[in-house]
Amino acid sequence: MRYPSPLSTLSVTPRTAFSSVSSIPKLRPRLCNVRASPIILLRLVSRFQSTAVAIEMDKVDTTARLSQLRELMKKHEVDVYIVPSEDSHASEYIAPADARRAFISGFTGSAGCAVVTLEKAALATDGRYFNQASHQLDTNWTLLKQGLVDVPTWQEWSADQASGGKVVAVDPTLLTSGAAKKLSEKIKKSGGKDLAAIEENLVDIVWGEDKPPQPEEPIIVLDEKFAGKDAKTKLTELRAELKKKKSLGFVVSMLDEIAWLFNLRGNDIPYNPVFFSYAIVTADDATLYVNSSKLSAECKSYLAENGVSIKPYKDIFSDASALRESAEAQKKEEGSENKKFLISNKASWALKRALGGGGMVEEIRSPIGDSKAVKNETELEGMRQCHIRDGAALIEFFAWLENELIVKKTTLDEVEAADKLESLRAKQKDFVGLSFPSISSTGPNAAVIHYKPERGSCSVIDPNAVYLCDSGAQYLDGTTDTTRTLHFSEPTAAEIEAYTLVLKGNMALDMAIFPKGTTGFALDSLARQYLWQYGLDYRHGTGHGVGSYLNVHEGPIGIGTRVQYSEVSLSPGNVISDEPGYYEDGSFGIRIENIVMVKEVKTKYKFGDKPYLGFEHVTMVPYCRKLIDETLLTDAEKTWLTNYNQEIWEKTKGYFENDKVTLEWLKRETQGFN
């Protein structure tokens, strides 16, 4: 699926609510004689080879909103106001009530930061969203295209606007402590006064009564047969880490970490089975800060059995201050060593302030996040099984879609197709809901990396154009995320070439063998190498971690050029995506995504006495044969494809014994390569 934000300082990276199951929260001919690259010819001859038309995205007139915000800024003596994308928990995906940046700017992409001065307004986002932002922003806004040469970051732009002793402000719950510190330094260096923390969120005031309420969805206990380990054991392991670090305790602020630690799941953020909460874990106590109305009797009993007390969500900051005062008093009385509280490096500036700042707090990469990223055997087997079922749903969908478009000549739009796919997934065992809004895109819409079709205004699927489907689901035993690009008629030479280059990168990463200690940063070029040979590339990462019935984007691991991916090596048990792509604006887009699991592999030698690692793919959906140029494939790649297709056939054919259309489609698409 779309990749986590590379520009955000808050997240590791818009969804609708889960459905429910029982009491569970739901969540043209080929140019064979042409010597030049077909993609180059495409650019020289025409950028529009599809009859599909890219949908114009609605603009919001933000004039009145910005005017109200600026009046509030003047009242608070603020010259520059920052509006991040994230919520108080540095969540990549947020509840509607936290969509402040989207409200004030009109840009609805999942990544970006808005900065408003008394005269100007700027929206910064990364390459995945340049197209979308340029369509959605009105004339009040300047688009800062992050990552391009000579384009300032939003931090640099903010600091520049603050020159001459001006004040920059932000809601301290929406910025990490580390981000706040770096921004403050930039502001002062540029001649600004400082970064101020305003606890009252000014955008919320402008939003007023139209602001959605905070969610109050029920929470469930995730059975150990899916979790693989009880909460008491997880707490014991966490406390062992805290003891090693000689800390006073760990204040947990990331929602997926809390859900994983206590084996609980919720529905407060669409598509992400998490709930609004904090937790404090010390050597002796564990406290979950959550609105108790969300907890069933079973949840309360389970928490009590595992030694977890419950307190209201709103009490976290006052309790954090009380903990600080108690620890300071104890140090004075006993002259004890300078122990500190631990918080994640993604915890908010507000939380660190409440705990006493740097003298009382140490920011670290969360040990819970590290543990969560290494799946246990139960979770790994769950990922294998749910991907078979999910693959069966996708195979049935693609066979159905081709039959409707080509045989029946049915007119279908992008949302209708996405709805059909969801209904097929819903038939599968242990289905809970989608893991993100399905990206169902035809023709030029497929070139919008994070395109989201809107009901009533989306495109009709063109059977003579590329169709890109990036989708996933939440199951009790795992989370899925699969992208396939198809063509139901005669693809162009440019489309075939691009697809095959992307496919070669996808296979290269899947087949990689590397020594223990290798990072995703080091592996990224394997997926891009064939595109690079043609002078092509893509503006998103290559892989993101995936949760186990949790967030579809999960840190701290990833494959890409982000600095943090050079800091965390891949380990056996990690689950990660493999998703290179290529996008020709106004014409077509290609992306291929599989989910793979890191495993130890046997090698003839073991240099340096190091274990060597590789990947096990779990996605069971065939590639589009008519988009593959076999003359560009090596013998090794053809063998790999043949073996993969055989595996898909064996694992999914049983789902279609009474479905001739799907079985024939699957048989055709999984034929071997000579």
Side-chain angles (χ1 to χ4, degrees), residues 506-522:
N506 176 269
M507 290 190 289
L509 190 55
D510 186 286
M511 292 187 279
I513 295 176
F514 47 93
K516 184 179 180 181
T518 301
T519 66
F521 185 93

Side-chain angles (χ1 to χ4, degrees), residues 18-19 48 50 116 198 413 439 445 483 494 508-509 597 635-636:
F18 287 117
S19 55
F48 300 96
S50 168
V116 181
I198 300 180
D413 67 30
I439 300 174
N445 293 337
T483 306
L509 190 55
M597 308 193 302
D635 289 342

Side-chain angles (χ1 to χ4, degrees), residues 395-445:
I395 289 166
E396 184 176 354
F397 169 65
F398 292 139
W400 171 85
L401 185 57
E402 179 180 282
N403 190 61
E404 291 293 320
L405 296 174
I406 303 303
V407 178
K408 296 183 178 181
K409 309 297 182 183
T410 305
T411 298
L412 293 167
D413 67 30
E414 295 162 326
V415 169
E416 289 172 327
D419 288 345
K420 176 64 176 183
L421 175 55
E422 183 175 1
S423 72
L424 294 174
R425 280 190 163 114
K427 298 190 303 182
Q428 301 300 326
K429 177 186 176 184
D430 293 330
F431 173 83
V432 180
L434 301 184
S435 55
F436 59 96
S438 297
I439 300 174
S440 171
S441 52
T442 183
N445 293 337

Side-chain angles (χ1 to χ4, degrees), residues 451-506:
Y451 175 75
K452 184 174 183 289
E454 299 292 345
R455 193 177 304 278
S457 64
C458 64
S459 293
V460 169
I461 297 174
D462 182 356
N464 298 306
V466 156
Y467 176 73
L468 187 153
C469 179
D470 185 344
S471 64
Q474 297 284 7
Y475 299 91
L476 292 176
D477 53 351
T479 301
T480 70
D481 182 3
T482 303
T483 306
R484 288 294 182 265
T485 305
L486 299 92
H487 204 295
F488 303 109
S489 186
E490 291 296 326
T492 67
E495 291 164 346
I496 292 169
E497 181 179 69
Y499 184 95
T500 307
L501 296 176
V502 171
L503 173 60
K504 286 169 70 69
N506 176 269

